Amino acid sequence: QVRLVESGGGLVQAGGSLRLSCTTSRSIFAINDMAWHRQAPGKQRELVATITATSSTWYADSVKGRFTISRDNAKSTVYLQMNSLKSEDTAVYYCDVGTYSGSRWYSRGFEGRGTQVTVSW
């Protein structure tokens, strides 16, 4: 059973910043691409950002220029730095393991429990 542990969510005012973290086992992290998804109440889950094992990145248009995904292979941790937060960024954010290929994300189904991000006016 692969375990993903997200942290770093919270309540922040619009325009503020948060950094999310996600850790998993070293064996899984080292060879896989990683991603962040989010799901707002009543909405479908949305792919937010991906980072390959070689640190190539992709971002959804809705967060491009505001969010930065990064990975620390020594700590088996992926980060999502979120700046200039907007109310529409409010969601539960989930870490994911998989493959980014041909502009598509292929999940391995090892998502964590998520971390809540709430952006207030």
Side-chain angles (χ1 to χ4, degrees):
Q1 183 78 16
V2 173
R3 191 160 172 252
L4 298 172
V5 180
E6 300 100 336
S7 62
L11 174 63
V12 63
Q13 288 188 332
S17 298
L18 283 174
R19 189 176 81 155
L20 307 183
S21 301
C22 172
T23 61
T24 188
S25 66
R26 184 178 296 272
S27 61
I28 291 295
F29 189 87
I31 62 173
N32 281 283
D33 303 339
M34 302 294 293
W36 287 96
H37 301 259
R38 67 185 179 186
Q39 188 164 19
K43 295 188 177 180
Q44 288 190 331
R45 189 166 293 197
E46 174 189 19
L47 182 63
V48 174
T50 69
I51 185 165
T52 68
T54 55
S55 295
S56 295
T57 58
W58 172 90
Y59 297 94
D61 287 343
S62 57
V63 306
K64 202 172 293 183
R66 300 187 298 121
F67 290 10
T68 302
I69 189 171
S70 61
R71 62 191 293 157
D72 185 333
N73 292 332
K75 295 181 178 180
S76 300
T77 300
V78 61
Y79 302 99
L80 186 67
Q81 177 66 43
M82 306 186 296
N83 298 328
S84 303
L85 283 161
K86 306 175 181 180
S87 59
E88 51 263 44
D89 296 318
T90 295
V92 179
Y93 284 72
Y94 298 90
C95 179
D96 195 8
V97 179
T99 301
Y100 185 73
S101 177
S103 301
R104 293 191 64 180
W105 175 256
Y106 298 90
S107 175
R108 293 188 61 181
F110 298 142
E111 293 182 356
R113 293 185 176 182
T115 185
Q116 175 71 47
V117 171
T118 303
V119 184
S120 65
W121 289 101

